[in-house]
Amino acid sequence: MQDTSDHIHLPAGAILFEAGAIGDCAYLILSGSIEIFLRRDGAVAVLGRRGPGEIFGEMAILDARPRSAGIRAAADCVLLPVGEAQIRQRLAGADPILRLCLETLIARFREALPRLAPAEAERRPMPPSPTARADFDAALAALTQEHALRRALARHEFALYLQPIVRLATGRLAGFEALIRWHDPERGLVAPAAFIPAAEASGQIVAITAWVIDELGRIMPGILRAALHAPATVEPSLFVSFNVTAQDLARSDMPGLIGAMLGRSGLAPEALKLEITESTLMQDPAGAAAALARCRAAGLGIAVDDFGTGYSSLSHLSTLPITTLKIDRAFIRPMLAEPRDRRIVQTILRLADEIGVVAVAEGIEGAAEAQALTAMGCALGQGYHFGRPMPLPDALARAASWDAQAWRGVPPAPATPLSA
Ligand code: C2E
Ligand code: MG
Ligand code: MG
């Protein structure tokens, strides 16, 4: 497949396409200029010129019809193709009224096209408006990011870091959360907040999640083997949880992907847990419920991530096949100083208990929080206190030598005096 983010160099006079051609992309002009032309009675009528900062060829993509006019380079130019999928993905998410306006505008323009006079050729092109300039800059930044993510996938620049999840009452290692990192050759280690939102906007998240699932199949057998070295301090039901988005549930055959990965790696489905944030879950609860039900039926655990921040409707919560609630760290950090946050945590713990799911406190940074949460009956904890997200070799070493005593969420018993 052609990489549509690669620049195209078009020499002056070269024809990019003719009217009637079927197009699969629009183009941003990075430098140089192009002419839009129609052939009439053997003559060429130039309808307009476009220069740097402008887009052309978008109409045939927006209304999925043949090119309305031809394009040739008026001067040497560099073009950045914007693929059909890149536009359609955004169009699908646009406001339907705006989409209707756009379709109407294009239909009117197509109707008027035969009447356009050759005198148009003399018209000077208007410089782009300031808003068009801002849109151009934003479009260019998004396309550059998309290109970089596609390249990152092709060049294996992603890695899964692992953060321990601990049984608070015993200090035993219960699992890990897999968190993606990008080793960008130019920027170094990039955190997910810097690229996951863009990957969601462009739809590339589906390919990234497919990579995550594949990578879990590769690394999880090693993690489970390492855990066998410390049977007293690591739970036999050790799991790895990973993050998915609403798009993954809606658009890809995720249960199928996971099933194939489990088949290849020989892992038990119970060793895997999906995490989906509360806010994405509430975007389309019915759609998510169907996909999650399939995953749950296959044996996977289902966790609601960042719980307490996404306005869950409790009626939806009770119909979703969830097994775990992860309490957002926004409530954990201020919990010791703020009675209100402490009460919220207590309420979520009671809710988890009522609906029969496991609670995990996220963002535990100190022993005092771990102890308070243990006393409140929270089952599992995760946070810098127990360990930051770490590369695979470090996680394997931690699992093989896990020190449960160090991480019990209760203060150590006072040493018994020798002569009592
Ligand atoms: P999350 O799933 O809620 O993951 C927990 C985040 O909190 C991680 O940030 C983790 O490093 C951070 N964290 C853990 N303990 C502490 C703590 O004690 N204090 C503080 N301040 N932070 C703590 P990270 O790795 O930067 O990930 C951010 C978010 O990016 C994740 O939030 C998740 O929503 C998303 N993400 C990460 N990996 C993936 C992935 O593979 N796919 C998708 N779709 N999203 C991912
Ligand atoms: Mg998570
Ligand atoms: Mg979270």
Side-chain angles (χ1 to χ4, degrees):
M1 197 181 92
Q2 185 207 356
D3 186 340
T4 50
S5 286
D6 285 341
H7 297 178
I8 289 179
H9 296 259
L10 203 63
I15 289 181
L16 186 64
F17 55 74
E18 296 272 358
I22 303 297
D24 63 359
C25 58
Y27 300 86
L28 289 179
I29 306 175
L30 299 183
S31 66
S33 60
I34 58 94
E35 284 175 344
I36 307 166
F37 68 91
L38 281 178
R39 295 183 194 277
R40 286 233 190 89
D41 308 324
V44 168
V46 175
L47 303 182
R49 291 191 180 82
R50 299 286 177 267
E54 293 189 275
I55 190 167
F56 68 89
E58 75 294 342
M59 207 163 76
I61 306 306
L62 290 171
D63 70 356
R65 293 174 64 195
R67 300 290 191 192
S68 58
I71 296 291
R72 73 177 174 204
D76 288 356
C77 49
V78 180
L79 308 173
L80 180 63
V82 190
E84 199 169 353
Q86 290 171 298
I87 294 177
R88 297 222 153 269
Q89 159 82 18
R90 286 167 172 87
L91 204 58
D95 183 295
I97 297 178
L98 275 183
R99 244 185 350 245
L100 185 64
C101 292
L102 198 61
E103 282 157 14
T104 308
L105 202 66
I106 294 171
R108 287 200 190 129
F109 181 77
R110 284 207 186 258
E111 280 163 27
L113 205 57
R115 295 195 295 277
L116 280 180
E120 275 291 306
E122 306 310 324
R123 218 171 54 81
R124 301 260 84 208
M126 296 272 286
S129 71
T131 38
R133 178 74 234 176
D135 285 344
F136 176 81
D137 290 343
L140 189 59
L143 290 166
T144 306
Q145 170 86 301
E146 276 176 43
H147 182 50
L149 286 179
R150 207 164 24 241
R151 206 183 45 196
L153 270 172
R155 295 185 184 171
H156 310 289
E157 290 171 1
F158 291 118
L160 288 182
Y161 273 39
L162 297 145
Q163 186 176 30
I165 299 176
V166 176
R167 173 87 46 197
L168 290 172
T170 61
R172 291 173 90 195
L173 180 66
F176 285 103
E177 177 172 3
L179 295 155
I180 199 164
R181 298 289 181 270
W182 174 11
H183 289 282
D184 183 345
E186 278 142 36
R187 289 184 291 170
L189 196 68
V190 183
F195 63 92
I196 291 289
E200 284 190 69
S202 67
Q204 288 173 299
I205 191 68
V206 177
I208 292 179
T209 304
W211 175 84
V212 169
I213 292 170
D214 212 47
E215 181 70 357
L216 285 171
R218 198 181 69 78
I219 67 174
M220 274 186 61
I223 297 173
L224 297 178
R225 263 198 312 277
L228 294 178
H229 290 281
T233 55
V234 178
E235 300 199 333
S237 55
L238 188 83
F239 64 85
V240 176
S241 65
F242 65 105
N243 298 275
V244 300
T245 66
Q247 269 186 67
D248 295 309
L249 296 181
R251 288 186 38 192
S252 70
D253 175 23
M254 221 186 39
L257 274 183
I258 295 171
M261 178 276 264
L262 292 173
R264 275 198 307 278
S265 60
L267 292 166
E270 292 72 27
L272 272 184
K273 201 181 271 193
L274 293 188
E275 292 194 7
I276 179 137
T277 61
E278 187 190 16
S279 45
T280 36
L281 204 52
M282 290 303 133
Q283 281 167 20
D284 175 18
L292 292 178
R294 284 176 64 199
C295 293
R296 183 73 197 113
L300 269 73
I302 312 283
V304 180
D305 206 352
D306 303 347
F307 187 75
T309 59
Y311 313 107
S312 266
S313 144
L314 293 183
S315 64
H316 283 135
L317 209 58
S318 65
T319 61
L320 290 166
I322 57 173
T323 59
T324 305
L325 278 189
K326 296 191 77 174
I327 309 172
D328 193 79
R329 69 168 187 268
F331 304 109
I332 305 299
R333 207 177 319 129
M335 188 185 75
L336 296 180
E338 289 287 338
R340 201 168 155 267
D341 288 293
R342 197 184 168 94
R343 277 199 296 274
I344 291 175
V345 173
Q346 262 159 346
T347 306
I348 298 176
L349 289 172
R350 254 203 314 277
L351 171 70
D353 208 37
E354 288 291 325
I355 61 175
V357 304
V358 175
V360 183
E362 300 190 272
I364 301 178
E365 294 189 355
E369 291 152 28
Q371 286 159 15
L373 286 157
T374 311
M376 288 157 83
C378 182
L380 300 176
Q382 177 181 354
Y384 294 167
H385 173 58
F386 305 108
R388 291 184 177 247
M390 59 192 94
L392 178 66
D394 296 1
L396 293 178
R398 285 294 297 276
S401 61
W402 188 260
D403 179 1
Q405 197 57 34
W407 304 119
R408 284 179 67 212
V410 288
T416 321
L418 284 178
S419 55

